[in-house]
Amino acid sequence: MKRRPERPAATPTPAGSPAPPDGQDGRKRVVIEAVTPEIDAGRFPAKRVTGETVTVEADIFGDGHDTVVAVLRYRHQSAGDWIEVPMSPLPNDRWRGEFPVTELGRYLFTLEGWIDHFETWRRQLAKRIEAGQDVTIEFESGARMVEAAAARATGSVAEASSLAAMAQAIRVGGTRGIDAINSELSALMRRFAERSRATTYPRELEVVVEPVKARFSSWYELFPRSTGVAGKHGTFKDVERLLPEVARMGFDVLYLPPIHPIGKTHRKGANNKPAAEGEPGSPWAIGSEQGGHKSVHPELGTLDDFRHLVSAAAEQGIDVALDIAFQCSPDHPYTREHPEWFKHRPDGSIQYAENPPKKYEDIYPFDFETEHWRELWQELLSIFLFWSEQGVRIFRVDNPHTKPFGFWEWLVGEVRRSNPDVILLSEAFTRPSRPNLWPNTPDILTEYLQTGGKPAFQARLVLAATLGASYGIYGPAFELMESRPREQGSEEYLDSEKYQLRAWDRKAPDSLRELIAIVNRVRHENPALQTDRGLRFHPTENDQLLAYSKSSPDNSNIVLAVVNCDPHHVQRGMVNLPLEELGIERDRPYQAHELITGARYIWNGPRNYVEINPYAMPAQLFRFRRRVRSEHDFEYFM
Amino acid sequence: MKRRPERPAATPTPAGSPAPPDGQDGRKRVVIEAVTPEIDAGRFPAKRVTGETVTVEADIFGDGHDTVVAVLRYRHQSAGDWIEVPMSPLPNDRWRGEFPVTELGRYLFTLEGWIDHFETWRRQLAKRIEAGQDVTIEFESGARMVEAAAARATGSVAEASSLAAMAQAIRVGGTRGIDAINSELSALMRRFAERSRATTYPRELEVVVEPVKARFSSWYELFPRSTGVAGKHGTFKDVERLLPEVARMGFDVLYLPPIHPIGKTHRKGANNKPAAEGEPGSPWAIGSEQGGHKSVHPELGTLDDFRHLVSAAAEQGIDVALDIAFQCSPDHPYTREHPEWFKHRPDGSIQYAENPPKKYEDIYPFDFETEHWRELWQELLSIFLFWSEQGVRIFRVDNPHTKPFGFWEWLVGEVRRSNPDVILLSEAFTRPSRPNLWPNTPDILTEYLQTGGKPAFQARLVLAATLGASYGIYGPAFELMESRPREQGSEEYLDSEKYQLRAWDRKAPDSLRELIAIVNRVRHENPALQTDRGLRFHPTENDQLLAYSKSSPDNSNIVLAVVNCDPHHVQRGMVNLPLEELGIERDRPYQAHELITGARYIWNGPRNYVEINPYAMPAQLFRFRRRVRSEHDFEYFM
């Protein structure tokens, strides 16, 4: 019976009709599809951070009415063996399983499903017995399945003999047979299941696991050169002096614009005019005779000074993030050593950056279509690796959208292969963008901030810090509410730090630093604000009021934000909350605890009145507590 | 410059850092993703019918701001050469192209995109000239690109020399240079584009093209054995006699339950009781000593008679559809010739069908887990091929969900490989089901039809015929409004034709045959009802009123259906129409032409009052005409 016949024994089929698929077993009856997470048929990995759980779902079904079983298999890329966990059926052929990701790097997972003949038999036997049918033959069928499992349990002597005994008991039938069909037997039958016809999902899917800061981080950008005392050029040592202040505001990433030597040719001066003698130039015009992307601008200090800054920051829980801008000033060593990495004009000169008719003659872009792209890619990778060796764990990538996608995919993979703890934050032009919200940057002072005064800064701070689990500000321009544009209609700052040193009065009384500290503390105290997955918007009955909530993965922590987007007028209106989703009982009052001011309100039902005066505070953050005792109203909410 | 160096010339990279991907060109800068139609990453083909157009869309983009160009390539499986058509950009990096499918079988398509350096140059040159810049060098850059194209135009002598001349004109510059940059040059540059770094989508996707009846067909099911005169067993000749009536009602598929010899063992009689002597049995208990799935039940006639019926039906535009039920009576020849295709109980008997505690001892299912699955598959395929050779083009597949998915995928592919004009209609249990709506079947008499009287039959007819481009009825039970269940709470017919012959009074005055003819005529006159793609539901202000519209692919034909689902009471309410989507001007009256009664109404605006008396007609079908002249209201709507 076990031999595979050479030719069909059946009625001859018409000429030309091929045999059923060779090399495949047509008896694999389970189908696995619609797997999540799966991005572009496995082309790209899903992302998680350490400590999270990967929840895997799939449609898993067979033909007919037999019982289906499914398992999830996973392993870290560095582990040889798969770990297998059972999946549970949800309604409508959907199945779910999960696994924890505790290590950085790549995890692989796949699924397997099969028809469980024993469980099918067990289920049907119960129905037959209930209907009073003669089940003598069914007992025999079951005994044979258990014997087959015993035969598969080679190497597990005790289990094999248990199974053999159970098979015999079932064969005898009657009460003894029924008693033998217990949970111990089910567990053994599952362990030694017949899986030769199991369907394995054809793809091994990937999950990239990053450090927690890839999901939840608070960024503060500053220009080191503006941190000097008495108008002097700032240094890494000056930045070190400011670390306690950055930490006090609650930031855990300190992001620096490029720290490399700055080119002199076509250097730009204050307010983007040609530089006069002595002007410092733009840090993004990278490279001079003093070095390129692996060198430090001498006026900032030495490489040792930089490493010291990185260590000192780490002691305060702060990562120093470096800006990686892949472009060169005309004075960059690459332009002499590797002219083949740049595009040349018919006159032999290197092609500068331009967006016709605009010309950026102080910047040479790399030519990613060069014949020598392999060497170029290697060199650019070596820049990341160089700074990784100096202790940098976070990079912010400038203008990624002007370099090929294939280049980034390769580079990110290579960087992470040796440095799985490194995080790359892409500037916002890529598709899709990583959510990281910035109310201002050195390039962008929005009209809203130019004209909205303090309420505008406060509102945008709360929006960024609560809509995005990762967010950042460019300071001290932000907390000191710098709002002057270079000219009417421009989003450029007047006297932008991109082109000149600025002296900031960091101790100014009218600073947002206290509010920033409170908002960052609220972020740290509320897991709901540490992920973007639980974001929901809620209808308000006033277009100027924006309401949304975030919830933690286990739903135990929920924060509601209501923001008055009108920086000039008091706005009031009803906010509609989906109480059930928020875990609040419909018919009982609940406490709304405002987290910025500490005020506590008793709310009732899904519609609640909110009135926000932007001159007091344009945003409110609520955490809800339901009442568990009726006396001592405020003490017994939980 | 063209040589590929053996080792990086750049700064040495850290040990262990691998070379950029080998065998790939890192300069392919275009990305193609999110292609539609694409099902499960190309695992399954999309479906179309002959004469349709396949509209292909994709996200296609590159890095930076250079101009991207994309083409769609397609071919029929039988054609060696690809046909290439340009794609057009839509907003947001989305691109669209299309191709017609005129032949049955499989089409393949894929996409290609590349950076168009010439077009980028042309666009930028215009901006430079407008800004009054010196463009001497840019003319030279352009001339070199055109020369390169001339070099690629080998074998196209005239074009190559045109291009060379244009290159020279551009090089000279000035007005002559600008004049040379014309649409002729653009066309030539597109034709001889530099595509060595084009990105080809990594998959060739498939489209299966079926006959039009796979999308649009009207099915009529009848039991041939009930078509006899004076209580005699009906024959294929009797069915032939009824063809004109079937055609008059507007049906184009005549679907017959299994026509094979019927088993005697455990035969079932009237109302599913054990058969008494002389009872005919169920046509689904297939096989007796007179033959199996490739034989004809002798009382229906001969195989010749059957072929004659198929030909006679074809003359009236009707396809005869055969029911394929892969199961056997205990008397089927397979049970003796191929016992290895069935599951055996421990006592050696063949396992009958069951759904414990229910037993169906007159039916043996095949065992798709048999060691001999290959031969079983071959034999089952040969059944389809046998009937195809008898002229059958449409099969209705019974209980497909109890056979493995892999089997069906293989079988459907094999049947279509030699018979691309064959259509398989799956009974409705599969995932996903092919939309084909049936208000009744020999198995299902819904409670709604049992209790709703004539309005219920009328409403369900219109719903099926207008919601589904393919629909069917089981007659004459349907048009004669047979509504008696076997027992209270059952959906089985009393005196079901599954188990006995029935004499139907096909000329009865109270028959729905005239309404059926009208509804089928409306379907034929309105392309909107011949596809399911343009279906939209519209809000009504009365839950008993169901409103929806269908539109043809080119939107030129739109039909609105309003159905009163309450068979007992007049229902009235407002129907809300999205006038813009329906192509109706908001501020002008428009004509609503009711297609069943022929009544014409003038409607105004999106909200219109509808009142439906189920005893008159529970459903209304409207076609809209907008007024083009103000006089002669009804003549000048179009």
Side-chain angles (χ1 to χ4, degrees):
Chain A
M1 278 293 275
K2 287 282 172 188
R3 130 198 109 84
R4 176 169 296 168
E6 294 300 314
R7 47 169 43 240
T11 313
T13 51
S17 177
D22 263 326
Q24 277 177 249
D25 191 331
R27 295 167 294 178
K28 293 187 174 185
R29 291 170 47 203
V30 169
V31 172
I32 303 175
E33 57 184 31
V35 178
T36 57
E38 175 179 306
I39 302 167
D40 286 7
R43 172 74 178 73
F44 300 103
K47 282 184 180 173
R48 291 293 183 278
V49 303
T50 48
E52 287 187 334
T53 294
V54 180
T55 300
V56 177
E57 290 191 6
D59 291 349
I60 304 179
F61 51 90
D63 56 277
H65 308 290
D66 293 346
T67 300
V68 168
V69 176
V71 295
L72 166 64
R73 277 208 298 267
Y74 71 97
R75 67 178 178 90
H76 188 267
Q77 64 184 146
S78 65
D81 292 335
W82 293 94
I83 298 170
E84 193 170 284
V85 291
M87 297 188 78
S88 309
L90 306 175
N92 209 14
D93 294 324
R94 196 81 183 148
W95 291 69
R96 180 185 292 160
E98 55 183 41
F99 63 95
V101 287
T102 52
E103 288 175 67
L104 295 170
R106 292 200 174 220
Y107 279 76
L108 299 165
F109 70 91
T110 192
L111 310 172
E112 192 166 305
W114 62 91
I115 301 290
D116 185 339
H117 289 292
F118 177 76
E119 179 57 25
T120 305
W121 170 85
R122 201 193 54 73
R123 187 165 46 83
Q124 294 186 346
L125 183 73
K127 289 182 187 165
R128 292 182 214 270
I129 290 173
E130 195 180 313
Q133 296 179 358
D134 176 0
V135 292
T136 311
I137 287 184
E138 275 68 30
F139 275 127
E140 177 60 28
S141 295
R144 291 184 186 184
M145 278 191 269
V146 176
E147 277 171 353
R152 283 190 297 274
T154 52
S156 304
V157 180
E159 288 82 352
S161 92
S162 279
L163 284 165
M166 288 166 170
Q168 204 42 48
I170 293 168
R171 178 166 287 124
V172 170
T175 309
R176 195 180 147 202
I178 292 169
D179 286 349
I181 306 165
N182 53 28
S183 61
E184 186 194 345
L185 176 60
S186 289
L188 284 172
M189 290 301 289
R190 198 160 301 136
R191 183 163 158 208
F192 299 105
E194 166 58 273
R195 287 166 67 167
S196 64
R197 292 166 198 165
T199 299
T200 301
Y201 191 64
R203 288 187 277 277
E204 290 180 2
L205 301 171
E206 291 185 334
V207 179
V208 164
V209 179
E210 297 180 280
V212 172
K213 278 186 180 174
R215 189 197 69 203
F216 172 52
S217 49
S218 313
W219 293 49
Y220 187 77
E221 177 178 11
L222 61 71
F223 281 78
R225 67 188 185 182
S226 288
T227 60
V229 287
K232 279 198 292 188
H233 193 288
T235 65
F236 295 133
K237 285 193 170 42
D238 291 319
V239 176
E240 267 188 52
R241 203 173 24 83
L242 294 177
L243 287 172
E245 184 180 321
V246 174
R248 206 157 39 231
M249 283 192 283
F251 292 105
D252 52 19
V253 180
L254 175 63
Y255 154 41
L256 310 181
I259 58 171
H260 316 301
I262 296 171
K264 292 212 172 66
T265 305
H266 296 297
R267 175 177 282 192
K268 288 183 173 168
N271 291 306
N272 202 21
K273 298 199 169 59
E277 184 60 31
E279 288 201 274
S282 160
W284 283 274
I286 295 171
S288 74
E289 73 275 9
Q290 291 161 319
H293 283 75
K294 297 176 191 169
S295 302
V296 164
H297 185 53
E299 288 188 81
L300 291 172
T302 65
L303 190 56
D304 271 343
D305 293 341
F306 176 73
R307 280 192 293 247
H308 196 274
L309 168 63
V310 171
S311 304
E315 280 169 26
Q316 311 234 13
I318 295 173
D319 271 281
V320 172
L322 221 54
D323 200 6
I324 296 287
F326 281 152
Q327 57 192 27
C328 299
S329 95
D331 309 317
H332 196 294
Y334 289 155
T335 64
R336 294 184 310 278
E337 296 166 13
H338 296 289
E340 73 276 12
W341 291 348
F342 301 89
K343 198 176 277 177
H344 293 261
R345 309 173 79 208
D347 64 1
S349 64
I350 292 182
Q351 176 68 61
Y352 45 79
E354 52 178 354
N355 185 11
K358 286 193 215 161
K359 301 178 179 190
Y360 306 96
E361 289 163 301
D362 59 333
I363 300 290
Y364 289 172
F366 289 110
D367 175 18
F368 281 87
E369 294 192 350
T370 171
E371 295 288 321
H372 301 275
W373 60 273
R374 281 192 166 78
E375 299 88 318
L376 173 62
W377 284 24
Q378 278 296 357
E379 177 64 15
L380 298 182
L381 169 62
S382 76
I383 293 170
F384 276 98
L385 298 179
F386 175 83
W387 290 107
S388 295
E389 282 163 23
Q390 314 314 315
V392 176
R393 265 26 225 148
I394 304 185
F395 297 93
R396 179 269 191 187
V397 181
D398 189 72
N399 265 348
H401 66 301
T402 57
K403 290 91 191 171
F405 291 86
F407 164 70
W408 286 122
E409 186 175 9
W410 171 81
L411 182 133
V412 172
E414 288 304 313
V415 170
R416 284 209 180 118
R417 215 163 50 83
S418 44
N419 299 273
D421 57 339
V422 159
I423 299 171
L424 288 90
L425 172 70
S426 156
E427 196 180 356
F429 299 108
T430 50
R431 311 171 173 101
S433 56
R434 177 191 287 274
N436 185 309
L437 278 65
W438 291 73
N440 75 330
T441 75
D443 283 326
I444 302 175
L445 172 68
T446 60
E447 190 187 352
Y448 186 78
L449 293 184
Q450 291 173 28
T451 61
K454 185 173 184 173
F457 279 85
Q458 292 172 317
R460 286 290 164 100
L461 172 74
V462 173
L463 285 167
T466 58
L467 282 170
S470 280
Y471 90 109
I473 57 171
Y474 151 54
F478 190 85
E479 66 264 29
L480 298 179
M481 295 175 277
E482 172 63 83
S483 60
R484 298 166 304 144
R486 194 162 78 205
E487 60 198 24
Q488 187 73 21
S490 166
E491 288 197 331
E492 289 276 341
Y493 278 95
L494 179 68
D495 301 332
S496 168
E497 285 185 283
K498 290 195 293 184
Y499 310 111
Q500 67 190 80
L501 275 53
R502 285 285 298 272
W504 298 103
D505 178 9
R506 293 169 189 279
K507 309 270 186 234
D510 194 22
S511 162
L512 295 179
R513 63 181 179 272
E514 293 308 325
L515 176 62
I516 292 169
I518 290 170
V519 169
N520 279 335
R521 199 197 65 227
V522 169
R523 284 164 49 85
H524 275 273
E525 289 173 354
N526 289 278
L529 299 176
Q530 298 169 16
T531 171
D532 292 330
R533 297 222 178 87
L535 176 63
R536 277 168 302 198
F537 286 87
H538 306 296
T540 67
E541 292 164 23
N542 177 338
D543 282 352
Q544 292 291 342
L545 293 177
L546 191 61
Y548 52 91
S549 64
K550 279 193 150 183
S551 52
S552 61
D554 64 0
N555 239 25
S556 67
N557 176 243
I558 296 171
V559 174
L560 169 73
V562 186
V563 182
N564 177 1
C565 298
D566 175 355
H568 302 297
H569 305 96
V570 174
Q571 295 286 345
R572 44 185 77 82
M574 305 303 287
V575 174
N576 293 279
L577 298 178
L579 294 188
E580 201 170 334
E581 284 178 40
L582 300 175
I584 297 167
E585 285 172 79
R586 174 164 284 269
D587 301 326
R588 305 184 116 199
Y590 53 98
Q591 192 199 86
H593 179 194
E594 208 288 309
L595 302 171
I596 297 175
T597 60
R600 291 163 194 264
Y601 307 91
I602 299 296
W603 284 4
N604 254 297
R607 271 179 98 238
N608 286 282
Y609 179 78
V610 172
E611 175 177 308
I612 302 185
N613 177 352
Y615 295 105
M617 179 57 66
Q620 302 187 343
L621 300 176
F622 297 100
R623 196 163 56 199
F624 300 110
R625 288 152 196 240
R626 54 194 168 77
R627 181 145 61 164
V628 289
R629 297 269 164 77
S630 55
E631 67 273 48
H632 310 304
D633 274 9
F634 290 117
E635 307 334 310
Y636 287 84
F637 281 86
M638 59 169 278
Chain B
M1 281 292 276
K2 286 282 173 189
R3 132 200 105 85
R4 175 170 297 170
E6 293 298 316
R7 48 170 43 242
T11 312
T13 51
S17 177
D22 262 326
Q24 276 176 251
D25 193 330
R27 296 166 295 179
K28 295 187 171 184
R29 290 172 46 203
V30 169
V31 172
I32 304 175
E33 58 183 30
V35 177
T36 56
E38 175 178 304
I39 301 168
D40 287 4
R43 171 72 180 76
F44 300 102
K47 282 183 178 174
R48 291 292 185 277
V49 303
T50 48
E52 287 186 334
T53 293
V54 180
T55 300
V56 178
E57 289 191 6
D59 291 348
I60 305 178
F61 51 91
D63 57 277
H65 309 290
D66 293 347
T67 299
V68 168
V69 177
V71 295
L72 166 64
R73 278 207 297 266
Y74 71 97
R75 67 178 178 89
H76 188 267
Q77 64 186 144
S78 65
D81 292 334
W82 294 94
I83 298 170
E84 192 170 283
V85 292
M87 297 188 78
S88 308
L90 307 174
N92 208 13
D93 293 325
R94 196 79 184 149
W95 290 70
R96 181 186 291 161
E98 55 183 42
F99 63 94
V101 287
T102 52
E103 287 176 68
L104 295 169
R106 292 197 175 222
Y107 280 76
L108 299 165
F109 71 90
T110 192
L111 311 172
E112 191 167 303
W114 63 90
I115 301 290
D116 185 339
H117 289 291
F118 178 76
E119 179 57 26
T120 304
W121 169 85
R122 200 193 55 71
R123 188 166 45 84
Q124 293 185 347
L125 182 73
K127 289 183 188 165
R128 293 181 213 271
I129 290 172
E130 196 182 312
Q133 295 178 359
D134 177 1
V135 291
T136 312
I137 286 185
E138 275 68 30
F139 274 127
E140 177 60 27
S141 295
R144 291 184 186 184
M145 279 190 270
V146 176
E147 277 171 351
R152 284 190 295 273
T154 51
S156 304
V157 179
E159 288 83 353
S161 92
S162 279
L163 282 165
M166 288 166 170
Q168 204 42 48
I170 293 168
R171 177 166 286 123
V172 170
T175 309
R176 198 181 145 203
I178 292 168
D179 287 349
I181 306 165
N182 53 28
S183 61
E184 186 195 346
L185 175 60
S186 289
L188 284 172
M189 289 303 287
R190 197 160 301 138
R191 184 165 156 204
F192 299 105
E194 165 59 272
R195 287 167 65 167
S196 64
R197 292 169 200 163
T199 298
T200 301
Y201 190 63
R203 289 187 277 277
E204 290 181 0
L205 300 171
E206 291 186 333
V207 180
V208 163
V209 179
E210 298 180 279
V212 171
K213 278 187 180 173
R215 188 196 68 201
F216 172 52
S217 50
S218 312
W219 292 50
Y220 187 77
E221 176 177 12
L222 61 70
F223 282 76
R225 66 188 186 183
S226 287
T227 60
V229 288
K232 279 199 293 187
H233 194 288
T235 65
F236 294 134
K237 285 193 168 46
D238 292 319
V239 175
E240 266 189 52
R241 201 173 26 81
L242 295 177
L243 287 172
E245 185 181 321
V246 173
R248 207 155 40 231
M249 284 191 283
F251 292 104
D252 52 19
V253 180
L254 176 63
Y255 154 41
L256 309 181
I259 59 170
H260 317 302
I262 295 171
K264 292 213 172 69
T265 304
H266 296 297
R267 175 177 282 192
K268 289 184 172 169
N271 291 307
N272 201 21
K273 299 201 169 60
E277 184 60 32
E279 287 200 274
S282 161
W284 283 274
I286 296 170
S288 74
E289 70 277 10
Q290 293 163 317
H293 284 75
K294 296 175 189 169
S295 301
V296 163
H297 185 53
E299 290 189 80
L300 291 171
T302 65
L303 190 56
D304 271 345
D305 292 343
F306 176 74
R307 280 192 293 249
H308 196 273
L309 168 62
V310 171
S311 303
E315 280 168 28
Q316 310 234 15
I318 294 174
D319 271 281
V320 171
L322 220 55
D323 201 4
I324 296 288
F326 281 152
Q327 57 193 28
C328 298
S329 96
D331 310 316
H332 197 294
Y334 289 155
T335 64
R336 294 185 311 277
E337 297 166 14
H338 296 288
E340 73 277 12
W341 291 348
F342 301 88
K343 196 177 279 178
H344 293 263
R345 307 175 78 208
D347 64 0
S349 65
I350 292 182
Q351 176 67 60
Y352 45 81
E354 51 179 354
N355 186 9
K358 286 193 215 162
K359 302 177 178 191
Y360 306 97
E361 288 163 301
D362 60 331
I363 300 290
Y364 288 173
F366 291 110
D367 175 18
F368 281 87
E369 294 193 351
T370 171
E371 295 288 321
H372 303 273
W373 60 274
R374 283 193 165 80
E375 300 88 319
L376 173 62
W377 285 24
Q378 279 294 359
E379 177 63 16
L380 298 182
L381 169 61
S382 77
I383 294 169
F384 276 98
L385 298 179
F386 175 84
W387 291 108
S388 294
E389 281 163 23
Q390 313 314 316
V392 177
R393 270 10 233 154
I394 303 186
F395 297 92
R396 179 268 190 189
V397 180
D398 188 73
N399 265 348
H401 65 301
T402 57
K403 289 91 190 171
F405 291 87
F407 164 70
W408 287 122
E409 186 174 11
W410 171 82
L411 182 134
V412 172
E414 288 304 312
V415 170
R416 283 206 180 118
R417 216 163 49 86
S418 44
N419 298 274
D421 57 339
V422 159
I423 298 171
L424 287 89
L425 172 69
S426 156
E427 197 181 357
F429 299 108
T430 50
R431 311 172 173 99
S433 54
R434 178 192 284 276
N436 185 306
L437 278 63
W438 289 74
N440 74 330
T441 75
D443 284 325
I444 301 175
L445 172 68
T446 59
E447 189 188 352
Y448 186 79
L449 293 183
Q450 291 172 28
T451 62
K454 186 174 185 172
F457 280 85
Q458 292 173 317
R460 285 290 163 101
L461 172 75
V462 174
L463 283 168
T466 57
L467 282 169
S470 280
Y471 90 109
I473 57 171
Y474 151 55
F478 190 86
E479 65 265 29
L480 297 179
M481 294 175 278
E482 173 62 80
S483 60
R484 297 167 303 145
R486 194 162 77 203
E487 60 196 25
Q488 186 74 21
S490 166
E491 287 197 332
E492 288 278 339
Y493 277 97
L494 179 68
D495 300 332
S496 167
E497 285 187 282
K498 290 196 292 185
Y499 309 110
Q500 67 190 80
L501 275 55
R502 287 285 300 271
W504 299 104
D505 178 8
R506 294 170 188 279
K507 309 270 186 234
D510 192 22
S511 162
L512 295 180
R513 61 181 179 273
E514 294 307 325
L515 176 62
I516 292 168
I518 290 170
V519 169
N520 278 335
R521 199 197 66 228
V522 169
R523 284 164 48 85
H524 276 272
E525 289 173 355
N526 289 278
L529 299 177
Q530 298 168 17
T531 171
D532 292 329
R533 296 224 177 85
L535 175 62
R536 275 170 302 200
F537 287 86
H538 305 299
T540 67
E541 293 163 24
N542 177 338
D543 281 353
Q544 293 291 342
L545 293 176
L546 192 61
Y548 52 91
S549 65
K550 278 192 150 186
S551 52
S552 60
D554 66 359
N555 238 24
S556 67
N557 176 244
I558 296 171
V559 174
L560 169 73
V562 186
V563 182
N564 176 1
C565 298
D566 175 356
H568 303 297
H569 305 97
V570 175
Q571 295 287 346
R572 43 185 77 80
M574 305 304 287
V575 173
N576 293 280
L577 298 177
L579 295 187
E580 201 171 333
E581 283 178 39
L582 300 174
I584 297 166
E585 286 172 79
R586 174 164 283 268
D587 301 325
R588 302 184 117 200
Y590 54 97
Q591 192 199 87
H593 178 192
E594 207 288 309
L595 301 170
I596 298 175
T597 61
R600 292 165 195 262
Y601 308 90
I602 299 297
W603 284 4
N604 254 298
R607 272 179 97 239
N608 287 282
Y609 179 78
V610 172
E611 174 177 309
I612 302 185
N613 178 352
Y615 296 105
M617 180 56 68
Q620 302 188 341
L621 300 176
F622 297 100
R623 196 163 56 200
F624 301 110
R625 289 152 195 240
R626 55 196 167 78
R627 182 145 62 164
V628 291
R629 297 268 164 76
S630 55
E631 68 275 46
H632 309 305
D633 273 8
F634 291 118
E635 307 333 309
Y636 287 86
F637 281 85
M638 61 170 277

